[in-house]
Amino acid sequence: MTWMKPWQGWLLAWIVTAAAGAGWLAQQRLQALHEAFTTNARVAHRLLSQQMVQHDAILATLALLQPPLTADARANAATSELARLYPQILGVAQHRPDQPWPTHWPATLSWLEQQSRASGHAHMDTSQLAQGTLFLVQAGSPSSYALQLHLPASVPAEEWPYPANRSPVRIWLTQGDQALILQAGEAKATTHGWAWTLTKTLASPSQALDLHERYKLHARLLPWWPMLAWAALCALVLAGLRAAWQQRTARLRAEQLLQHGHVARLNTLGELAAGMAHELNQPLTAILSNSQAARRLLDDTEPDLDAARQAMAQAAEQAKRASGVVGRLRRLVERPNTTAHTQQLSLQHAVNDALHLLEAELRQHQTQVQHVVPAPLPPLQIDPVALQQILHNLLVNALQAMDKIPPAERRLEIEQTQQGPWVYLRVQDNGPGIAPEIRDRLFTPFTTTRSQGLGLGLTLSESLAESMGGHLRLVERAALRGACFELTLPARITAAPITHAQP
């Protein structure tokens, strides 16, 4: 099992929260830019459509009023009010039977006049659209009229929604293969990539030009400073949460270790009290029997020895009281029955909890832990405190056995398997192993290889395992060179839910 380091989890949390917040800020900024682009595009289309409709209205008025005009189209535009009101009108021409169209104007005007007479509205010539010039013809009777328009000048600067000379949006008109750029936009407006585009035909029956708008998007449009501020805020908040979590975890770990130590001391005291009671019961019984025999012997002596018989009787009473005190002491500190506090739990969760409690020690010893669970195991019906005590003893012994091993070589392997109705937990280190001379008495009380050890941990663990219907033993395995302890527990499969062990 691969363990994720705690800092990696917090780093992942920071990446997720920072990315989510930055993505939301970027989405809000892009949404605002897109709404502004759409609104400005509609305004630009409306303004240009109004200009085109005004051209139609001018020609319709000329065709209706039939004012006489000279052959000089430019002079006609300059001397009329049209040039002042509509600076895009470069010339106004009149076609009469005795006055042809201006010679420097397109030759298609006569054909456009026929088209206009047939449709009833004006028609345009876009042959010079790329140069910004558009010719518009409206048939009339007896004279027809035409306008020469400079389309760039038709853009109303006062009402135009884009800032002059610094808008990033590129705007152009097209008709067939002819195109006229009204607004160049930024230098890279035509390059390929992510962009917003809009194409819409101007609302004029005679000047059905296609209006195109393109907004090239760049990474610099994103709100980098707010996103960086959000990432920094997330880092500060998560750092605070991590510090609080570490403090809470350290406190809980200390409380649980204290509880384990308390349980271990009580169990050790129980073992000691049981041994003391066993050792003291025989001499106390001998004292009692000898005192009673002395009293019977004294009964056969002279009557003046009553005081001696009374003393022997008091000695017998004191011996009984001593035996009672030892018995009460044993009942007081005797290890509780583990079968009375059983519950269903997962062995894998219990191992994970034990490793969590020893996380600081594992990090201090720089020990690599390999937790192997080949297949899902059934739950166990056992005492969680007793199981945690066994696991704690085995893991602490393994860590202490590797004290003299270089940190880079320290390995701790925990394997869980099942064979039939039994579940096996093996804890193996790569320390120096168990010396042959103490293998046979390894589970005997007060057997230890440490100078300050009591030699009761394995004895207590074996007793706890046996009280739960299992056993603990030292086995030989070739996986690592150190000691390997195998805990065997009965597997009881029930329909009840699995409870996470809380030591």
Side-chain angles (χ1 to χ4, degrees), residues 364-427:
Q364 180 181 358
H365 285 77
Q366 301 180 20
T367 304
Q368 296 186 16
V369 180
Q370 183 178 7
H371 191 183
V372 180
V373 185
L377 301 180
L380 305 176
Q381 190 72 27
I382 53 179
D383 183 1
V385 176
L387 178 59
Q388 285 290 342
Q389 188 64 48
I390 296 174
L391 294 175
H392 184 79
N393 285 336
L394 294 179
L395 293 174
V396 169
N397 287 345
L399 290 177
Q400 292 176 348
M402 294 184 289
D403 281 341
K404 297 182 180 180
I405 303 298
E409 300 178 7
R410 294 173 184 173
R411 301 288 188 277
L412 177 62
E413 182 178 298
I414 304 173
E415 181 181 5
Q416 301 177 39
T417 59
Q418 180 186 9
Q419 294 181 6
W422 298 97
V423 172
Y424 298 89
L425 173 69
R426 300 179 183 90
V427 178

Side-chain angles (χ1 to χ4, degrees), residues 5 15 21 37 74 106 138 147 181 237 248 348 369 423:
K5 296 181 179 179
I15 292 174
F37 168 74
R74 288 189 174 273
Q138 173 68 57
L147 296 178
I181 299 176
V237 172
R248 177 180 178 274
Q348 182 175 353
V369 180
V423 172

Side-chain angles (χ1 to χ4, degrees), residues 93-95 99-103 105-106 109-110 113 137-138 144-146:
Q94 182 181 28
H95 179 223
Q99 182 178 338
W101 294 110
T103 56
W105 284 28
L109 295 185
S110 297
E113 181 183 1
V137 179
Q138 173 68 57
S144 298
Y145 294 86

Side-chain angles (χ1 to χ4, degrees), residues 254-329:
E255 292 176 355
Q256 292 174 351
L257 288 175
L258 181 63
Q259 182 181 3
H260 277 304
H262 179 65
V263 173
R265 286 190 296 271
L266 288 178
N267 288 332
T268 303
L269 184 58
E271 293 289 337
L272 290 174
M276 290 174 59
H278 176 73
E279 296 295 332
L280 290 177
N281 270 334
Q282 290 183 352
L284 287 176
T285 302
I287 292 173
L288 177 62
S289 61
N290 290 334
S291 299
Q292 291 175 345
R295 186 177 59 181
R296 287 194 301 269
L297 292 174
L298 290 175
D299 286 341
D300 296 336
T301 60
E302 297 180 2
D304 58 348
L305 298 179
D306 290 340
R309 289 194 297 270
Q310 184 178 2
M312 293 297 102
Q314 291 177 355
E317 289 297 327
Q318 292 298 323
K320 290 181 180 179
R321 287 187 61 189
S323 178
V325 169
V326 172
R328 287 196 300 273
L329 176 62

Side-chain angles (χ1 to χ4, degrees), residues 397-463:
N397 287 345
L399 290 177
Q400 292 176 348
M402 294 184 289
D403 281 341
K404 297 182 180 180
I405 303 298
E409 300 178 7
R410 294 173 184 173
R411 301 288 188 277
L412 177 62
E413 182 178 298
I414 304 173
E415 181 181 5
Q416 301 177 39
T417 59
Q418 180 186 9
Q419 294 181 6
W422 298 97
V423 172
Y424 298 89
L425 173 69
R426 300 179 183 90
V427 178
Q428 184 173 9
D429 59 73
N430 66 337
I434 305 298
E437 59 270 16
I438 65 171
R439 285 177 177 267
D440 295 337
R441 52 189 179 89
L442 187 60
F443 294 95
T444 303
F446 309 111
T447 300
T448 180
T449 59
R450 298 194 299 271
S451 59
Q452 297 181 353
L454 293 177
L456 294 172
L458 289 178
T459 305
L460 174 62
S461 299
E462 183 187 33
S463 300

Side-chain angles (χ1 to χ4, degrees), residues 344-346 349 377-379 496-500:
Q344 191 176 171
L345 56 90
S346 167
H349 288 167
L377 301 180
I498 298 176
T499 303
H500 194 288

Side-chain angles (χ1 to χ4, degrees), residues 231-247:
L233 177 62
C234 290
L236 291 175
V237 172
L238 289 177
L241 291 176
R242 183 189 179 191
W245 178 264
Q246 289 177 336
Q247 183 178 6

Side-chain angles (χ1 to χ4, degrees), residues 32-54:
L33 291 175
H34 186 264
E35 290 177 356
F37 168 74
T38 303
T39 300
N40 293 336
R42 292 174 180 173
V43 172
H45 176 268
R46 177 177 56 82
L47 292 175
L48 290 176
S49 297
Q50 290 175 351
Q51 294 290 341
M52 302 301 111
V53 170
Q54 289 176 350

